[in-house]
Amino acid sequence: MSRSIHCAVAVGAALCSSREAMAQTDSLNVFLDRYVPRQGVVEATYLAKPGFAGEMQFGFDAATGAWYEVSHLGATLRRANGEILEGDPYPGMLKPSKRIKAFSADIAVMEWCPPCFLRLVALGNVPVDNVEALPEGGYRFRIRSDQALPDVPALVNEVDASGVLRRVARDDPADPREANVVYSEKSPAGFLLRAETAGRNLATASVHEGGVRDFESVARVESLAAQSRVNTARTLAAMSGGSLVGTNPADGAVEGTPSVPAASPPLSGYRWPLVVLGVVLIAAAVVYRVRGRGQL
Amino acid sequence: MSTKRGWSYAVSVGTCLAVAALATAESVVVCCKYLYTWPSDPALQGPEGPCSGTVAYVCEDGSTSAGYTDPLRLFHGQTLRYARCYLYNLGAGQSFVRTSCEAPPAGALLVGSLGNGMCCYIVGPTKPVPMLSLRTFQLADCAGACNDPSSQD
């Protein structure tokens, strides 16, 4: 009898705990929904620091939760229905990704547009746990970045009483990497953007209040990626003082200009004719010399 | 006398032409493209050196057109070549991993070789996008430095 009571209590406690967690998550979502953008498209360009090349462009549709990221390496497009497309920065390369799930890829949005990311959380697109209300207002919650990669630590986020993401830390005591989120003064109205991402600084940003009709268009995103690739190639070419610089896109560099010429000097094309001519002259001289001795 | 001089000139010119022809011979490509260096600037590497912390700067090294057995390489002159460098700044969800080059973590991106059979990788749900830069180097003798035969040009 006592064992049954214990069991009932234990099961009840687990259920209560689970319901409590759900209630806290619901509370978080209701809170965030008051502050995150729900309409409009924001697009931003981040440029590499001086001496480096490699711009990045981002876009987020607050109405649907769709977003894209493009660079010289390629493009990622996340559709409202959760589909992820990835590919190299060339026309026709964007294809459904088998590499990653949508909720894991959504972490990328936090790296440039935290309110956009919080919008995804509010939409229920990103699983959260360990939600707790903060005494001063706001919430702390944890996001599991990818359940398929157990070695990747979860991220703990702190949102203040105004719904602004203020701190991010890794759920890893050995390497918490706790940091305040720094926003750019160039942030457009309604969307606070990070001042820096992946080492790059925010250069331009714009908001389309009425949305962008073909925001989820594969052709549009591929075109942006191709342009990013070309821009990066031009920057690299300028670094080389106008010399031609070429690379293989497969290894993370940039294509778009011819390869560096081989080390062969300009006369290499005349090699064999020169050899033949030299041999002929030497042979002629030897023959002439021999004949001259014979005549003496 | 003039015959002797003519003969001497012919031999000299012929010999010079043959030597010049050999000197213009293309080098045999024997060096790998994917040798890596990790510049030691503390602002460009993590707190424990390459492949630590949240930043890493790695450069390709070596030559793609220099033969280490080429006896006439001195005649080719020194030619400036460009090597690519990559600066990685990790996001919150990304981490560096040092592990054997023979056993890369699943889904990881190779950053570069650290030597001694160890390689640096980045793991995480999102793809890292490095910034690019260039550095110049002279044609170098990189005999014995190839560590990835499949990457030979």
Side-chain angles (χ1 to χ4, degrees):
Chain A
M1 187 69 169
S2 60
R3 186 183 288 182
S4 299
I5 293 173
H6 285 149
C7 185
V9 169
V11 169
L15 280 175
C16 282
S17 175
S18 175
R19 283 183 188 153
E20 241 179 72
M22 287 175 60
Q24 285 284 56
T25 301
D26 290 341
S27 177
L28 168 67
N29 290 345
V30 167
F31 169 80
L32 290 176
D33 210 37
R34 289 206 293 264
Y35 298 103
V36 298
R38 290 190 276 175
Q39 294 294 329
V41 163
V42 60
E43 294 185 301
T45 300
Y46 285 75
L47 296 181
K49 57 175 64 180
F52 291 87
E55 64 180 42
M56 293 183 77
Q57 295 182 59
F58 305 92
F60 180 82
D61 187 334
T64 64
W67 56 265
Y68 68 79
E69 172 184 313
V70 304
S71 71
H72 64 276
L73 282 187
T76 300
L77 170 63
R78 196 267 208 221
R79 290 185 153 149
N81 63 3
E83 185 184 22
I84 297 273
L85 302 169
E86 293 185 309
D88 293 334
Y90 299 91
M93 296 303 290
L94 220 55
K95 295 286 188 286
S97 173
K98 295 174 185 176
R99 181 183 70 89
I100 194 167
K101 302 185 183 78
F103 73 84
S104 304
D106 288 338
I107 294 286
V109 179
M110 185 174 63
E111 298 292 348
W112 68 281
C113 183
C116 305
F117 177 73
L118 295 177
R119 168 64 168 159
L120 292 173
V121 174
L123 284 172
N125 291 10
V126 180
V128 302
D129 61 12
N130 289 23
V131 179
E132 56 177 296
L134 298 176
E136 62 273 27
Y139 282 83
R140 178 185 296 119
F141 59 93
R142 189 176 67 171
I143 299 162
R144 184 71 190 183
S145 57
D146 188 337
Q147 293 166 6
L149 293 175
D151 293 334
V152 176
L155 297 178
V156 179
N157 301 262
E158 280 187 19
V159 177
D160 69 14
S162 303
V164 177
L165 183 67
R166 291 299 180 189
R167 291 181 70 76
V168 179
R170 289 150 54 101
D171 193 16
D172 177 2
D175 184 18
R177 242 187 266 172
E178 193 171 4
N180 293 329
V181 178
V182 178
Y183 294 98
S184 173
E185 293 176 354
K186 296 181 183 177
S187 298
F191 294 86
L192 279 176
L193 303 183
R194 287 201 190 232
E196 184 180 312
T197 186
R200 298 157 171 88
N201 296 319
L202 178 64
T204 60
S206 58
V207 172
H208 310 276
E209 296 283 351
V212 173
R213 189 171 54 84
D214 56 349
F215 184 82
E216 292 190 19
S217 156
V218 167
R220 181 175 185 267
V221 174
E222 285 179 343
S223 174
L224 291 173
Q227 188 59 52
S228 183
R229 171 176 57 81
V230 169
N231 292 346
T232 301
R234 284 185 182 145
T235 304
L236 276 181
M239 283 179 191
S240 64
S243 297
L244 302 176
V245 179
T247 60
N248 183 341
D251 64 4
V254 181
E255 200 186 55
T257 50
S259 300
V260 178
S264 307
L267 291 177
S268 63
Y270 300 94
R271 175 159 47 106
W272 286 114
L274 286 173
V275 170
V276 169
L277 182 59
V279 168
V280 166
L281 282 174
I282 293 173
V286 170
V287 168
Y288 188 83
R289 174 67 175 167
V290 168
R291 282 187 178 172
R293 279 184 176 170
Q295 289 173 356
L296 289 176
Chain B
M1 195 64 180
S2 64
T3 303
K4 256 192 191 171
R5 191 175 296 167
W7 179 85
S8 300
Y9 283 154
V11 170
S12 300
V13 170
T15 303
C16 286
L17 284 175
V19 170
L22 287 175
T24 61
E26 289 181 8
S27 304
V28 175
V29 176
V30 294
C31 294
C32 295
K33 191 176 180 182
Y34 295 104
L35 304 173
Y36 298 96
T37 58
W38 304 79
S40 61
D41 186 337
L44 298 175
Q45 304 296 355
E48 295 166 20
C51 204
S52 71
T54 60
V55 63
Y57 187 48
V58 58
C59 297
E60 292 177 349
D61 203 347
S63 164
T64 59
S65 280
Y68 69 93
T69 58
D70 179 4
L72 295 176
R73 62 184 180 275
L74 293 178
F75 290 93
H76 297 167
Q78 293 300 304
T79 304
L80 272 184
R81 304 302 303 279
Y82 289 100
R84 284 160 288 161
C85 298
Y86 307 91
L87 179 61
Y88 293 89
N89 286 269
L90 299 189
Q94 298 163 338
S95 302
F96 287 118
V97 174
R98 293 180 189 173
T99 188
S100 165
C101 300
E102 303 291 322
L109 173 82
L110 174 67
V111 175
S113 169
L114 296 164
N116 296 325
M118 298 296 285
C119 281
C120 178
Y121 297 92
I122 293 175
V123 295
T126 54
K127 278 185 181 176
V129 182
M131 290 181 284
L132 309 176
S133 67
L134 298 174
R135 67 176 189 87
T136 58
F137 68 97
Q138 302 289 343
L139 283 176
D141 180 355
C142 50
C146 294
N147 56 10
D148 182 3
S150 65
S151 65
Q152 285 192 12
D153 282 354

